[in-house]
Amino acid sequence: MLCDKCKKRPATVHITKITNGVKSETHLCGECAREEGELTLISESTFSFPSLLTGLLQTQAGIGATMPIHNHVSADCENCGLQLSDFTGKGFLGCSHCYSQFGSKLEPLLRRIHGNSVHTGKVPKRLGGKIGITREIENLRRNLARLVSDEKYEEAAVVRDEIKALEKRLSDDG
Amino acid sequence: MQLKDIMNKTYSAWMDTSAPCTDVALSSRVRLARNLGNNPFPNHASPAVLAGVANQVENAVRQTPELSGLKVIHLSEVSAQDRQVLVEKHLISPQHAKNAENRLVILAADESVSVMVNEEDHIRIQTLLPGFQLNDAYKLADKTDDYFESRLDFAFDENIGYITACPTNVGTGLRVSIMVHLPALVITGQVKAVLSAVSKLGIAVRGIYGEGSEALGNMFQLSNQITLGHSEQELIENLASVTMQVIEQERSSRGKLIAEMREQLEDRVQRAYGLLNHARLVTSQEALKLISDVKLGAELKLIPEVNGKTINELMVIIQPAYVQYLAGRALSPTERDAGRARLIREKIRTGREGNEK
Ligand SMILES: [Zn+2]
Ligand SMILES: [Zn+2]
């Protein structure tokens, strides 16, 4: 068996990765394995990730449209100039603006990688104020609905006032 | 602290064996990916942009008292050979060692924190602790992230969280992983079933195989698969609870082995110990295999004179670039195997003498 990377030397290192019960195997020669850091046991392997992504994007393009993806997306990223075809080739976006620029194209990909989800983790402190308030309003609204259905109107009125106050703070901040 | 000091030190903080569960869990690692506002990501950036990013990050370190203990290293000032040693010490990625221009690594003296600048993302904060300490490794990374964030404007979106160059990392930008040593599950033939079950729980498993069917050193890496839609705490707890089950299974297999096959097991670990003590040419793959057997023997008290720290150090110093670094010059493959065999013998001897004192 030849090395997956250089396709010249015989493969002597076999890397198995199991994700969701699906096994993927990479076969490398000693030299390429060293270069990819596969022999350093603690390092994070990045080999074959971009090709995996490219595969995902191409299968999407294949649904309903047989044209390669760059034929029906013409816009470049306004901030960094990246074209979507560059992304499908390498698996990396160009800058943070690319996500909004190519939003509709990336959304199904993000869903396939991460499931149907939004970020619920850490928020940078400088943004914490605003996002924190939005999250709190959402929580209070759920609380309010529960109180109303339990016919606890007095408590509900208090919560409603809290929501109003927070909404005012949001709009005052712009 | 100089780079030389870090390179010469064969012992790193993650090798400490007084940490929890070091009988099975080798090390816990956390990585946070962050990027700076409008700058193109490193793979798409001009040298001028890269230099600007490196400069901003370096200034942030200098201006933040809590970060001032970290050492900023410009990789362009480090030789290719020495960069390879940093890879083998798990301080930078192979990719980071390849392109040195405008790349930095920022290190804590005990190597528990290392920050790569202009790797795949502008900033990758990594922490590495011994044993099973996922929470503490995250706390350390989180704190380091807060300090950087007080000076730098990280790209963030309310819906997709921290923005990263590769969509597989958006959200928390968190990759939390643990290296586990599973010789008994391998010997008893259960490892495939266990790891395949694990992989259905949102955990990615990686093993490395050399010649033959056994994983290199019987080491496996477990890590979170997704980064978006769960909080950092949830991702860590999921990995921790799955890892704990794997650790329990490995321990119970070890118990069974020692109860039912004590002689065979003793023979296997003593043979490996004998080879490490007496072989004159050892390749890195063979060394990992032997070290795995000796490590198992040490955990089961079959080789009382070997301590865990020595074994952990061995795993780093047997690697090709490190053998050459310690020799002080480039070596032919045979010289390297000879040098490795000598290093192993010396390390075992000094470890044993340390025990006797
Ligand atoms: Zn190759
Ligand atoms: Zn862009």
Side-chain angles (χ1 to χ4, degrees):
Chain A
M1 190 191 317
L2 285 179
C3 168
D4 289 346
K5 190 166 174 247
C6 65
K7 310 225 171 0
K8 280 186 223 138
R9 292 174 289 265
T12 54
V13 179
H14 313 281
I15 298 121
T16 301
K17 196 167 174 174
I18 320 173
T19 308
N20 273 340
V22 181
K23 209 163 141 183
S24 69
E25 292 191 349
T26 311
H27 309 280
L28 300 174
C29 68
E31 213 150 305
C32 291
R34 192 145 50 241
E35 214 168 276
E36 295 296 333
E38 293 295 0
L39 290 176
T40 61
L41 289 167
I42 301 179
S43 83
E44 185 185 339
S45 159
T46 48
F47 187 65
S48 84
F49 240 158
S51 55
L52 168 82
L53 282 179
T54 311
L56 282 178
L57 269 178
Q58 274 157 0
T59 31
Q60 274 171 39
I63 303 168
T66 45
M67 275 180 290
I69 211 157
H70 55 266
N71 281 8
H72 49 104
V73 178
S74 53
D76 302 347
C77 171
E78 279 163 16
N79 184 53
C80 74
L82 186 97
Q83 294 183 317
L84 198 57
S85 59
D86 297 336
F87 168 65
T88 57
K90 293 186 196 124
F92 296 118
L93 287 157
C95 73
S96 53
H97 295 257
C98 288
Y99 281 89
S100 44
Q101 198 80 36
F102 304 124
S104 61
K105 279 283 152 202
L106 287 175
E107 223 172 84
L109 175 71
L110 285 172
R111 257 206 308 277
R112 287 189 66 167
I113 300 171
H114 299 285
N116 209 350
S117 14
V118 294
H119 180 61
T120 56
K122 186 173 180 177
V123 172
K125 286 210 174 64
R126 79 190 144 81
L127 297 173
K130 211 170 162 187
I131 295 179
I133 293 173
T134 315
R135 293 247 161 95
E136 202 177 337
I137 292 175
E138 284 165 12
N139 288 338
L140 287 174
R141 284 219 177 97
R142 274 197 294 276
N143 208 352
L144 179 63
R146 201 176 329 117
L147 291 172
V148 170
S149 77
D150 292 351
E151 300 185 356
K152 295 182 176 167
Y153 298 113
E154 262 173 54
E155 286 172 57
V158 176
V159 173
R160 192 197 52 215
D161 291 344
E162 278 177 40
I163 293 174
K164 273 192 187 149
L166 287 173
E167 280 171 341
K168 185 165 183 307
R169 254 172 70 194
L170 262 189
S171 60
D172 287 352
D173 290 350
Chain B
M1 174 185 59
Q2 294 299 311
L3 176 61
K4 275 266 165 289
D5 301 332
I6 291 176
M7 309 252 302
N8 286 332
K9 197 161 46 98
T10 59
Y11 179 78
S12 314
W14 71 262
M15 297 168 185
D16 184 11
T17 49
S18 59
C21 302
T22 48
D23 57 330
V24 181
L26 211 67
S27 60
S28 298
R29 184 183 165 98
V30 163
R31 175 270 275 157
L32 291 173
R34 301 288 187 253
N35 286 282
L36 296 184
N38 296 330
N39 296 286
F41 299 135
N43 282 310
H44 193 62
S46 66
V49 168
L50 293 176
V53 168
N55 202 21
Q56 272 191 66
V57 179
E58 188 167 1
N59 284 338
V61 174
R62 305 219 183 287
Q63 288 161 4
T64 314
E66 293 88 347
L67 296 175
S68 61
L70 301 178
K71 164 99 182 149
V72 178
I73 295 159
H74 291 250
L75 287 181
S76 56
E77 293 162 13
V78 179
S79 74
Q81 177 68 39
D82 289 1
R83 294 202 296 271
Q84 203 52 44
V85 173
L86 295 177
V87 172
E88 291 177 358
K89 285 177 81 87
H90 316 301
L91 295 171
I92 63 174
S93 67
Q95 190 191 345
H96 206 45
K98 243 179 266 175
N99 316 325
E101 209 53 48
N102 295 315
R103 265 72 179 183
L104 311 178
V105 60
I106 301 169
L107 295 176
D110 66 358
E111 303 170 36
S112 60
V113 181
S114 65
V115 182
M116 292 191 284
V117 180
N118 287 329
E119 201 238 23
E120 184 180 308
D121 294 296
H122 292 138
I123 296 182
R124 285 195 157 195
I125 298 165
Q126 311 179 97
T127 56
L128 185 59
L129 292 181
F132 185 18
Q133 299 192 79
L134 296 171
N135 272 317
D136 288 341
Y138 176 69
K139 269 184 219 146
L140 188 58
D142 183 39
K143 214 170 59 183
T144 310
D145 179 46
D146 285 343
Y147 295 140
F148 275 108
E149 190 199 278
S150 70
R151 303 277 169 186
L152 301 167
D153 207 0
F154 290 153
F156 181 87
D157 175 276
E158 196 174 328
N159 291 313
I160 57 172
Y162 288 95
I163 306 280
T164 56
C166 185
T168 52
N169 295 322
V170 294
T172 54
L174 172 75
R175 188 77 59 202
V176 48
S177 61
I178 188 154
M179 185 63 67
V180 286
H181 181 225
L182 307 177
L185 287 175
V186 171
I187 293 171
T188 55
Q190 295 166 283
V191 76
K192 267 195 190 131
V194 170
L195 294 181
S196 153
V198 161
S199 80
K200 295 190 179 100
L201 300 169
I203 304 295
V205 180
R206 194 168 73 97
I208 307 155
Y209 296 81
E211 305 298 348
S213 59
E214 286 188 9
L216 217 51
N218 298 319
M219 298 287 176
F220 298 87
Q221 187 185 54
L222 311 180
S223 61
N224 63 309
Q225 202 177 302
I226 58 168
T227 53
L228 179 65
H230 295 276
S231 69
E232 289 81 0
Q233 220 45 51
E234 289 166 345
L235 293 171
I236 292 165
E237 270 161 29
N238 184 43
L239 180 64
S241 73
V242 169
T243 302
M244 206 55 233
Q245 292 175 42
V246 172
I247 291 175
E248 288 308 335
Q249 302 221 30
E250 168 66 19
R251 283 176 178 160
S252 95
S253 291
R254 288 181 189 181
K256 239 179 261 163
L257 274 181
I258 199 92
E260 292 166 16
M261 300 173 59
R262 190 182 179 101
E263 271 146 0
Q264 289 92 328
L265 199 61
E266 252 175 308
D267 179 63
R268 177 176 169 143
V269 305
Q270 290 294 351
R271 276 170 189 271
Y273 190 47
L275 277 172
L276 284 180
N277 270 308
H278 299 287
R280 291 307 192 256
L281 295 175
V282 183
T283 66
S284 55
Q285 284 201 23
E286 185 188 8
L288 277 174
K289 192 174 169 321
L290 298 172
I291 290 168
S292 167
D293 283 350
V294 170
K295 187 169 167 62
L296 177 64
E299 306 299 356
L300 294 175
K301 313 263 183 297
L302 298 173
I303 315 178
E305 71 264 36
V306 181
N307 67 48
K309 275 183 195 177
T310 304
I311 296 168
N312 289 346
E313 271 186 84
L314 279 177
M315 279 188 289
V316 170
I317 63 173
I318 57 155
Q319 298 187 74
Y322 213 48
V323 171
Q324 299 201 57
Y325 176 79
L326 292 177
R329 64 184 174 91
L331 302 173
S332 73
T334 306
E335 286 178 314
R336 212 153 57 198
D337 291 349
R340 178 178 296 115
R342 194 168 333 107
L343 282 174
I344 292 171
R345 292 198 303 275
E346 282 167 10
K347 185 53 73 187
I348 291 179
R349 199 183 53 236
T350 52
R352 204 164 39 212
E353 284 163 7
N355 280 353
E356 280 156 12
K357 265 170 215 160

